[in-house]
Amino acid sequence: MTNERAGFMSVQSGLLRQTLVEDIFARADERHEDALPEAVTAVLEAGDRQLASPDEPELDIKLRRSGYFTRAIELELFEPARRPPDWIPDTLREYFARSASWAQAVGDACAELARREPLDKPSPDDKTAVSWLVPGPGGHVRHYVARRAIEQYLSDRDRPLDGTPAALKRPWLYGFLVHACEEALPPEATLGDES
């Protein structure tokens, strides 16, 4: 239906969301096997930060990479996403004060923030919903992209999941946040060799 006065067409929000989610997921999934810098791979694959079921390390890593590449796609598609999250440098400095390296600080911060995020669709008013604190398409779009990735990677399996599928949002969000932190590292920080 056309809104004649304003010259705009009305669009079904469900269809728009589905199209946007599918596009973002497909673009991120195409990059899933792309090589990453060693330091980023080390943070993404840190085994001491188990976010899914302990017997699901391969699925956990797939979801982390999906989240990481989803953030990369957001930067390409959405101009507002290109503004680095202004809260990240101070957050990372806090974690760095308690850790051995910037890589450890990034990993610890991302794991804690991912564990706080609601597993259901997050409200923009929820202070634990970090998916709303990163500039870009917002927490709802990210929630649905995470669910789409979970659905895809569970369909590739030959055995049932040990645990709840909703909890798999955490490793996806961890990877997403690793990319967001990489964008907004404090000037004195590095994810590489810090010796």
Side-chain angles (χ1 to χ4, degrees), residues 141-154:
V141 170
R142 293 162 179 155
H143 173 77
Y144 288 116
V145 174
R147 285 183 55 174
R148 177 64 181 91
I150 293 164
E151 174 187 297
Q152 178 65 41
Y153 297 138
L154 286 179

Side-chain angles (χ1 to χ4, degrees), residues 15 67 72 76 81 95 98-99 119 122 124 126 135 138 151 156 160 171 188 194:
L15 179 61
E76 294 172 11
Y95 280 87
R98 304 188 299 251
S99 68
L119 296 179
D126 187 337
E151 174 187 297
D156 294 344
E188 69 274 19
E194 298 170 46

